[in-house]
């Protein structure tokens, strides 16, 4: 099949609220022409992402620093939250169940997605911070998002402003709170400005007692699993999601409750930044 790069889109939006930080709720239908080097799953993800981003760009314009996330379940699109692009707003939540159609037109595969969602204008500069996902090491040489079963995950972090941090890991169904570590009293950890941190490393625990640090060894049930890390940071102290104990594993909750918590807290905190990062864990 000949490679197609054109994208056709149609977006309908209804403005509900006009304020200093505008919120818009609307319906968007986006038609995506699949290229011959994409899988159907990849094309569905791209179609959803482009629909969300166009709705944001059409209402708020473009800049740097927004996000959009897609959750998959058994090969099918199941839920949508927010991902990264140059738009002056962010996808807050999906309303109802998205509809995804697979079509074939003139020997070309077409993905048509229809969804309803809420978006919010970004009216302040995002917090400037940097992080790296590390595998089996605690400095930048070990940066990676591809892991094998039994590998250790670390996360380096540095912020230009004092603030508070929480880190979550999800497989699309269950969400684990990796940071703050289990047993720590704080619901989000205070991070000093201009300080290098390495999370999940006893050797680089900083001011924290190494005995309180939990190392993060990854595993998987299938031959290959796609997980997602959420790095949540704000200059304002925030309460973490309502989770519960899970034996010796990190505290956890289901994805629906996590999504609800994250959507709500982001609407209240304009200084909160969420960075989703996809990681792959394989058995071999």
């Amino acid at each position: 099949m000949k490679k197609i790069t054109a994208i056709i889109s149609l977006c309908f939006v209804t403005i509900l609220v006009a304020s200093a930080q505008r919120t818009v709720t609307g319906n968007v239908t986006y038609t995506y022409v699949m290229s011959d080097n994409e899988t159907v799953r990849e094309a569905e993800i791209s179609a959803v992402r482009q629909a969300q981003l166009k709705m944001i760009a059409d209402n708020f314009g473009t800049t740097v620093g927004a996000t959009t996330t897609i959750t998959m379940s058994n090969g099918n699109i199941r839920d949508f939250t927010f991902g990264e692009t140059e738009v002056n707003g962010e996808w807050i939540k999906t309303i109802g169940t998205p509809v995804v159609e697979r079509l074939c037109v003139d020997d070309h595969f077409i993905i048509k997605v229809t969804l309803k969602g809420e978006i919010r204008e970004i009216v302040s500069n995002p917090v400037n911070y940097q992080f790296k996902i590390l595998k089996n090491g605690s400095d930048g040489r070990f940066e990676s998002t591809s892991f094998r079963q039994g590998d250790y995950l670390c996360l380096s972090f540095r912020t230009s402003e004092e603030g508070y941090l929480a880190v979550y890991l999800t497989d699309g169904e269950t969400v684990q709170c990796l940071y703050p570590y289990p047993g720590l009293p704080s619901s989000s950890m205070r991070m000093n400005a201009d300080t290098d941190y390495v999370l999940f490393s006893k050797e680089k625990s900083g001011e924290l007692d190494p005995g309180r640090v939990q190392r993060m060894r990854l595993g998987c049930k299938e031959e290959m699993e796609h997980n997602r890390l959420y790095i949540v940071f704000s200059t304002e102290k925030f309460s973490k999601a309502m989770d519960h104990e899970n034996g010796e594993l990190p505290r956890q909750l289901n994805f629906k409750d996590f999504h609800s918590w994250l959507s709500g807290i982001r609407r209240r905190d304009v200084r909160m930044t969420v960075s989703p990062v996809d990681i792959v864990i394989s058995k071999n």
Side-chain angles (χ1 to χ4, degrees), residues 231-243:
I231 292 89
V232 184
F233 184 78
S234 177
T235 54
E236 302 295 327
K237 187 172 179 58
F238 59 93
S239 297
K240 64 182 178 69
M242 185 70 72
D243 50 27

Side-chain angles (χ1 to χ4, degrees), residues 62 86 89 125 137 146 156 167 185 189 202 208-209 211 230 267 270:
T62 59
E86 298 182 353
N125 293 327
S146 296
S156 65
V167 180
M189 292 295 291
K202 291 182 179 292
L208 189 65
D209 179 355
Y230 286 88
R267 286 194 295 270
V270 298

Side-chain angles (χ1 to χ4, degrees), residues 169-217:
L169 176 68
T170 181
D171 59 5
E173 296 181 359
T174 300
V175 181
Q176 294 182 322
C177 179
L178 305 188
Y179 191 78
Y181 302 122
L184 294 182
S186 180
S187 61
S188 55
M189 292 295 291
R190 182 175 177 272
M191 314 299 283
N192 295 322
D194 303 319
T195 302
D196 292 315
Y197 294 91
V198 180
L199 278 58
F200 319 117
S201 171
K202 291 182 179 292
E203 293 76 18
K204 294 190 176 182
S205 60
E207 299 177 355
L208 189 65
D209 179 355
R212 308 296 296 273
V213 174
Q214 183 171 25
R215 299 187 70 192
M216 195 52 54
R217 190 178 186 184

Side-chain angles (χ1 to χ4, degrees), residues 24-28 55 91-95 115-119:
V24 172
T25 296
N27 298 293
V28 55
M55 181 174 167
W91 187 270
I92 298 298
K93 65 178 179 180
T94 298
I95 301 171
L115 64 151
K116 182 177 182 179
E118 179 182 340
I119 59 178

Side-chain angles (χ1 to χ4, degrees), residues 36-63:
D36 60 358
N37 62 350
E38 288 181 299
T39 65
V40 173
R41 180 178 178 179
E42 290 171 338
E44 289 177 341
I45 291 174
S46 295
V48 171
R49 179 180 293 116
Q50 294 300 325
Q52 293 173 326
L53 298 181
K54 187 176 190 303
M55 181 174 167
I56 296 170
D58 285 351
N59 282 273
F60 305 137
T62 59
T63 185

Side-chain angles (χ1 to χ4, degrees), residues 214-228:
Q214 183 171 25
R215 299 187 70 192
M216 195 52 54
R217 190 178 186 184
L218 300 177
C220 61
K221 297 178 182 178
E222 307 295 335
E223 288 301 315
M224 179 179 292
E225 293 184 3
H226 295 265
N227 285 198
R228 171 155 292 188

Side-chain angles (χ1 to χ4, degrees), residues 12-274:
F12 302 99
V13 177
T14 302
I15 297 178
L16 293 188
V17 179
S19 61
Q21 186 182 37
R22 291 184 296 155
T23 299
V24 172
T25 296
N27 298 293
V28 55
T29 297
Y30 195 94
T31 304
Y32 181 85
V33 183
M34 181 178 167
S35 66
D36 60 358
N37 62 350
E38 288 181 299
T39 65
V40 173
R41 180 178 178 179
E42 290 171 338
E44 289 177 341
I45 291 174
S46 295
V48 171
R49 179 180 293 116
Q50 294 300 325
Q52 293 173 326
L53 298 181
K54 187 176 190 303
M55 181 174 167
I56 296 170
D58 285 351
N59 282 273
F60 305 137
T62 59
T63 185
V64 177
T67 50
T68 314
T69 300
I70 299 103
T71 301
M72 307 294 294
S73 178
N74 298 322
N76 298 313
I77 295 179
R78 183 175 65 86
D79 202 348
F80 314 90
T81 6
F82 1 83
E84 282 183 313
T85 192
E86 298 182 353
V87 289
N88 195 26
E90 55 193 346
W91 187 270
I92 298 298
K93 65 178 179 180
T94 298
I95 301 171
T97 303
V99 176
V100 179
E101 301 176 73
R102 301 176 183 177
L103 308 172
C104 185
V105 179
D106 297 330
D107 296 326
H108 300 305
F109 289 112
I110 307 297
I111 305 297
K112 182 179 179 181
V113 58
T114 301
L115 64 151
K116 182 177 182 179
E118 179 182 340
I119 59 178
R120 181 180 70 183
E121 184 179 23
I122 294 177
V123 296
S124 60
N125 293 327
V127 180
N128 184 21
Y129 64 80
Q130 298 176 334
F131 66 89
K132 291 182 179 180
I133 308 301
L134 309 175
K135 178 176 69 175
N136 296 331
S138 57
D139 62 55
R141 296 176 299 161
F142 299 95
E143 184 175 9
S144 178
T145 56
S146 296
F147 294 82
R148 295 183 185 274
Q149 183 168 263
D151 284 341
Y152 286 93
L153 176 146
C154 287
L155 187 148
S156 65
F157 186 88
R158 183 182 179 90
T159 174
S160 62
E161 298 181 55
E162 178 182 302
Y164 298 86
L165 177 68
V167 180
Y168 292 88
L169 176 68
T170 181
D171 59 5
E173 296 181 359
T174 300
V175 181
Q176 294 182 322
C177 179
L178 305 188
Y179 191 78
Y181 302 122
L184 294 182
S186 180
S187 61
S188 55
M189 292 295 291
R190 182 175 177 272
M191 314 299 283
N192 295 322
D194 303 319
T195 302
D196 292 315
Y197 294 91
V198 180
L199 278 58
F200 319 117
S201 171
K202 291 182 179 292
E203 293 76 18
K204 294 190 176 182
S205 60
E207 299 177 355
L208 189 65
D209 179 355
R212 308 296 296 273
V213 174
Q214 183 171 25
R215 299 187 70 192
M216 195 52 54
R217 190 178 186 184
L218 300 177
C220 61
K221 297 178 182 178
E222 307 295 335
E223 288 301 315
M224 179 179 292
E225 293 184 3
H226 295 265
N227 285 198
R228 171 155 292 188
L229 281 165
Y230 286 88
I231 292 89
V232 184
F233 184 78
S234 177
T235 54
E236 302 295 327
K237 187 172 179 58
F238 59 93
S239 297
K240 64 182 178 69
M242 185 70 72
D243 50 27
H244 56 84
E245 293 184 357
N246 185 31
E248 296 181 356
L249 298 175
R251 297 177 66 87
Q252 68 177 34
L253 68 158
N254 64 55
F255 185 83
K256 181 179 179 181
D257 290 342
F258 173 77
H259 182 192
S260 177
W261 165 79
L262 194 57
S263 297
I265 201 168
R266 289 186 65 150
R267 286 194 295 270
R268 297 190 297 271
D269 186 351
V270 298
R271 292 291 285 162
M272 176 171 283
T273 304
V274 179

